[in-house]
Every structure is written in structure tokens, then in C-alpha cells.
Amino acid sequence: MEKHLRALRFITALVVVAIATLIGWLLTIDEAAFEAMIDRSFGYGAIPDYPDKLPLPTRMRLIWAASSWAALVGIVAVWPLLARALYNGVSGAWRCGRSALAQVWATIPMWERWSFALALLVCTSIRIAFAVADPPMLDEALNWLLFGDRGPLVALTWYAAPNNHIGHSLLASIIGLLPVDPLLALRAPSIMAAGLAQGALYLLLRRICGLAPALLAIAFAMASPLVLYFDHLGRGYSMVLLAFTAGFGAAAHWLKARDPRALHLLTLAAILGVIVMPSVVYGYGALAGSLMLFSHERLRVLRAFAWAMLGIAALYAPSLIVSGTAAFSENPWVRPIGYAAMAESYWPHVKLAFEGLVGFRFGLLSAMAVLVLAAALTRIERKQLAVMCFSVVALALALPFIHGVLPFERVFVFLIVPLTVAIGLLVQRMLPAGAVGWLVLPIPLILVATQTIRLRQALPIAEAVAFRADGACSALKSSAPKRIIGQAQPLTSFALFDFKRGGYPIGARFDVIGATQSPARSGEAFIGWKTDLAVLSSDSLLFTDEGPDAIWVISSAPAP
């Protein structure tokens, strides 16, 4: 261990030197070069009409942000006790997760292992196929234009829009340093996280409730419309699901075995989950409250979550300094709307969220029925875990209401984990002892296949603008323009992202305008809404679709 500690302190010392070098460069760069760098790295670029823009960071903000990390990392380098605590925490979390998975893996038969590996391979292949086939969605385009394309430091520190899922954006920007399609860089972390989450959740269920219940419960999770929708798109929801699976599994292990390493894993999972998406703090707050209710060693639980909050604060410190606290607390999506508005809107909102989680009407009623029945009927040795499933869901729904915030429905995707565990516990109680697990295999296969087909049929309607914009961008490229004139969100973002992905002539220029302007010179092309356009000659029309808000692509020369 001493060798590892020396290596940790050496690495942190190198990081401090690198940050000090960055601070020195920030202090010495001249004003004109600094302003150009800021505009290139933090500006809104070709999205001038983006609402709720943040003021660009100043030189001192960047220096203070870098200094905060230099101080935090430097403490680890010079304080052996903190370095040892950090090493013990991370290594303990790793050993806890590895030993738990290894134990359940050792108990399952060979045919199940092969089936498990085949299921992961097939599901991952399907996700890759969807990722290749589906056009970029608006949030993906914005994520790349504002964060991923600008490098890891910008992704980590600039919260210019709430769709910056920082952990995901960081990984996407690192992959984007390679010569790969930006859409692949955005979607690869989600696909990898979705596969890991699927495997981890199944093994957690297998450990808790046996083969047949695990198969039926994992079918619910994999057939959830929210999971199916986001498991291949370039967003952070798959990573949140993976982190919450690890955290919930650690909490369950703590309740059963009081293994201190489980609290280390829970702490690490909370830090990683919240760094991907701040709103998942509702889930970990619910998990903390539940453990405080059921655990007899509340001080240790409280200490674990205190460490988690310190870790989250340390990782968010640069972005809080660079972007300002208002970027996280005052943007329209997290700003409290008042209890009168919450009382009117919250339950319809929650009902809609549960329809997305469960996949049919009355999803909230069905989920609550499962949670209550699981808590009431589960055998005594697992009853505490079943009650914790109910309390996590109840608290996770109560906390946003107390906060006065109406989060996006998809924020509640982490509730798949306690709902799935509750289903497994309830099915275990209802099935006869010794039920043959492989007999239920057709049920999850049919359920997941049916929901997947339904989603694929509904996606072009739900994301109609993305699919229409994809066709428009293909038509735009067909004219090989030297200058592209874009107008009005979200078409600007779709077209500019397509421009970034390539396929346009080298040296082509993209301009955003604030008023209708048809192409005037040869080599110019326009993308915009039909309602925004003046009367133009029909021989210049490259693309249009139906409806009063149809997209038009117009070139100064006829299509080749």
C-alpha cells in the first residue's frame, strides 16, 4: 500500500505543477489573446440567440478556479493522512464492489453466465445500431457545440447550459480528441454506461432474490421507455443509472452486513452520480434519509454522506467559480417556482414521469402498488430492504416538492433501481420455492422486444424536428455550399453540429443571422423555417417538408 500511496502523492504533485503552469500562462497572456481565447473556448459561438446566456469568465475567475484545484490537490500531495484516507476510501469501494459481484458470479451456473454475456452483447449491439441510425437530437447538438468540442477543461468548468451533464461531457470531450465522429464521441459513454448498468443491476437482483425473480425484474428495467430512449443517446442518464445502481447496491449491502467498505462505495457512487447530473442529488438525498431511518449506526452513515458532499463540492468548485453559483441555482430549469404552482403542477408531472418509467398509463399507481406490496409481503430477512425501496422512492418524490422545483420527468430515471428491486422481491415472494428460472426467459424477451419496437415507431414522431432537420442537413450538403446562412433555433444548432461533423467543403463558412436573408451569391445556402422566408424562386429549393412550420433549405444554385 505504501508504494501506491507514494504514487498517488507523486501524481497529485505533478497535477499541482501543471495547474501552476496554467495559472502562470493566464497571468502573462496579453489582453487581446486572452479575449480571443475566452470567446473561442467559452463564447456561445454560432448560437447567438441562446437564451439565458452567462457572462463570459474573467481572467481572475479562471485563476481562482485553477487555484482552488491546485489547493485541493496540493493538500493531498503534502498531507499523508488525507492521501491515505483517499486511497483507503477508493480502494475499499473498489474491493467491495468487486467482491460482491464475484460472489454472485461464483454461484450462478455456466449456462446462465453464457446467457448473461450473450444478452449484454446483443443489447450493446442493438444500442450501437440505434446510435448509428438515429440522427443527433437537439440536446446532443448543443452539448457538443458548447462543451464537448471545446476540450475537457471547458466541459468541466463551463455550465453555460443546464444540459451540460459534466461527467458525460468530460468523457465525450476526451473521446472527441481522437479522430472520431462527434456524434460517436457523445454516444459512446452512454452506450458503455448502459451496458455496465444492465450487468450490474442484474447481478444485484440475482444476489438479492434469485434467478427467476431477477430475470423478470431486469425485464422491467430494460423495457422502461426512459431507459430504452437514453441508453444510446449522448446524454448522462445511463451514467446516472449506473452510479445509482452501485450506490443502492452498496446501501443494501450495508444494511445486511455492516461492511464499512459498502459506505466507501456509496460515497464514491454519490460523488460520481452528482458530478454527472446535479439533480440526482434528490436520489442520494433519499438514499441517505432511508439509511438514517433503518441503520443503527447513523453516525457512520452521516459521516459517509458528509465525505460525499465534500467530494462533490471539491469537483464542482472550478465550475462554480467560473460559471457562478447562479448558473446552477437560478437557471429556469432549477429555479423554485413557488408552492402554489407546485401544488397545481407537481402530481400531474410525477404521473407523467412514471408513465415514462413504467411504459403505460397509471404508472404511478402501479409503481406504488408494487412498492407497498413488496414492503408488506417480503420475507422478514429482506423486509428492511423492501421498505427501503419504498422510502427511497417516496423521499425522492418529496424532496423536489420541498425544494419547490419541477424537474424534467427524465430526472427520475434513477428510480428504476428501487422499483426493479421491489419487483424482484415481490416476485420472489409470489413464486413457488424452487421455481425453474429458465422457464420465465420468454417473458423478458417478449417484453423488451415489444417495448423496443414501440419506441422505434414512436421516436420519429417524438423527435420530429431532429429527423426533419437531419434530412434538411443532408440536402444542404448536397449543394456543397461555401457559405451557410442559418436562422432560428433549433435549426441553427442542428445545422452547425452537422457542419462540425464534416461533409462540407474545406473553408466553408457558417453564419447566423437575425433576420430573413435569402442566398444572394453563388455558393450560398440557407436553412430556416418556411414562415421566416420571403418569396423565393422554386428552382433554388433543395428541401422542404409539410406543415406551417416546415423547414426549407434554399441554395443560390439549383440542386445538382
Side-chain angles (χ1 to χ4, degrees):
M1 186 178 74
E2 293 301 324
K3 181 175 68 174
H4 294 154
L5 282 174
R6 286 196 296 271
L8 174 63
R9 295 177 66 189
F10 177 73
I11 292 171
T12 53
L14 288 180
V15 172
V16 171
V17 172
I19 295 174
T21 304
L22 175 62
I23 292 172
W25 177 75
L26 288 172
L27 287 169
T28 56
I29 185 174
D30 66 79
E31 192 64 27
F34 176 79
E35 289 181 1
M37 182 273 294
I38 287 294
D39 187 63
R40 183 175 62 252
S41 300
F42 297 95
Y44 285 81
I47 319 177
D49 53 345
Y50 186 85
D52 303 301
K53 292 181 186 176
L54 297 181
L56 297 182
T58 62
R59 189 190 302 258
M60 286 309 300
R61 280 200 174 203
L62 293 180
I63 291 172
W64 277 114
S67 300
S68 69
W69 261 25
L72 292 168
V73 177
I75 292 172
V76 177
V78 301
W79 191 3
L81 288 178
L82 183 59
R84 187 181 298 274
L86 181 63
Y87 174 81
N88 288 339
V90 174
S91 62
W94 169 255
R95 288 195 300 270
C96 178
R98 184 183 60 183
S99 64
L101 295 178
Q103 286 172 13
V104 67
W105 187 257
T107 63
I108 62 178
M110 188 59 67
W111 73 265
E112 188 182 351
R113 295 183 188 182
W114 281 105
S115 301
F116 173 82
L118 180 62
L120 284 181
L121 178 62
V122 170
C123 290
T124 302
S125 300
I126 292 172
R127 292 182 189 111
I128 293 173
F130 290 163
V132 171
D134 288 347
M137 307 303 165
L138 177 60
D139 279 340
E140 293 178 303
L142 284 172
N143 186 287
W144 184 259
L145 294 174
L146 292 177
F147 313 113
D149 190 36
R150 307 191 183 191
L153 288 178
V154 174
L156 193 61
T157 59
W158 188 227
Y159 205 70
N163 71 333
N164 183 13
H165 297 167
I166 291 179
H168 169 268
S169 300
L170 179 63
L171 289 178
S173 66
I174 293 172
I175 297 173
L177 297 175
L178 303 173
V180 298
D181 183 346
L183 191 58
L184 173 62
L186 285 167
R187 290 180 171 177
S190 298
I191 293 171
M192 290 186 288
L196 291 172
Q198 176 187 350
L201 184 55
Y202 175 76
L203 292 177
L204 173 62
L205 292 165
R206 189 67 171 82
R207 178 185 177 93
I208 290 172
C209 52
L211 175 56
L215 286 172
L216 293 173
I218 196 66
F220 161 76
M222 299 311 301
S224 166
L226 275 179
V227 174
L228 286 172
Y229 183 80
F230 286 108
D231 61 6
H232 69 283
L233 297 184
R235 312 294 290 123
Y237 297 99
S238 292
M239 299 173 68
V240 164
L241 186 59
L242 173 60
F244 203 78
T245 299
F248 192 91
H253 185 53
W254 166 255
L255 285 179
K256 182 180 180 181
R258 296 296 190 270
D259 183 352
R261 299 177 305 171
L263 292 181
H264 296 159
L265 178 57
L266 179 56
T267 300
L268 184 61
I271 293 171
L272 295 179
V274 176
I275 199 63
V276 172
M277 194 185 308
S279 54
V280 80
V281 74
Y282 295 134
Y284 287 104
L287 202 52
S290 300
L291 282 181
M292 292 294 288
L293 285 173
F294 299 122
S295 176
H296 296 298
E297 299 181 63
R298 293 181 177 86
L299 185 60
R300 296 181 71 176
V301 173
L302 192 61
R303 187 185 304 125
F305 279 97
W307 276 109
M309 288 188 286
L310 284 174
I312 292 166
L315 290 177
Y316 267 111
S319 55
L320 287 168
I321 295 171
V322 171
S323 304
T325 56
F328 295 89
S329 61
E330 294 297 326
N331 73 68
W333 311 114
V334 300
R335 188 185 300 130
I337 63 174
Y339 289 113
M342 287 294 292
E344 180 181 352
S345 306
Y346 192 64
W347 285 115
H349 186 76
V350 169
K351 285 168 62 179
L352 190 61
F354 271 80
E355 287 178 14
L357 283 171
V358 176
F360 52 82
R361 292 184 63 190
F362 308 111
L364 178 60
L365 181 63
S366 303
M368 290 302 168
V370 167
L371 290 165
V372 171
L373 288 173
L377 301 179
T378 300
R379 294 183 178 92
I380 190 65
E381 63 271 15
R382 288 294 186 186
K383 187 171 289 291
Q384 194 176 52
L385 178 59
V387 176
M388 188 179 77
C389 292
F390 176 85
S391 68
V392 167
V393 174
L395 287 173
L397 295 179
L399 288 175
F401 186 85
I402 295 169
H403 186 197
V405 171
L406 203 64
F408 284 116
E409 294 93 340
R410 55 185 179 260
V411 163
F412 293 112
V413 69
F414 59 84
L415 292 182
I416 284 290
V417 180
L419 284 173
T420 303
V421 172
I423 291 171
L425 291 171
L426 184 59
V427 171
Q428 182 189 37
R429 189 69 178 92
M430 296 173 65
L431 284 179
V436 181
W438 60 266
L439 290 176
V440 304
L441 267 176
I443 298 176
L445 292 175
I446 293 171
L447 181 59
V448 174
T450 301
Q451 287 290 75
T452 302
I453 293 171
R454 287 179 60 191
L455 176 68
R456 302 310 299 173
Q457 292 173 339
L459 190 62
I461 300 173
E463 295 289 349
V465 175
F467 279 83
R468 292 160 55 203
D470 188 57
C473 289
S474 297
L476 188 65
K477 282 187 287 191
S478 71
S479 67
K482 292 296 183 183
R483 181 185 181 218
I484 302 166
I485 304 168
Q487 184 196 30
Q489 286 281 39
L491 291 183
T492 299
S493 297
F494 284 119
L496 184 55
F497 180 65
D498 199 61
F499 181 85
K500 292 277 188 180
R501 293 179 68 191
Y504 295 93
I506 295 175
R509 173 180 161 195
F510 193 105
D511 292 323
V512 180
I513 60 173
T516 301
Q517 177 182 336
S518 60
R521 294 190 298 272
S522 177
E524 289 188 348
F526 175 91
I527 181 170
W529 303 105
K530 178 179 178 180
T531 52
D532 292 335
L533 301 179
V535 177
L536 296 158
S537 60
S538 60
D539 62 354
S540 66
L541 184 63
L542 299 181
F543 176 91
T544 187
D545 54 7
E546 299 298 327
D549 58 346
I551 302 170
W552 276 23
V553 176
I554 297 166
S555 174
S556 59

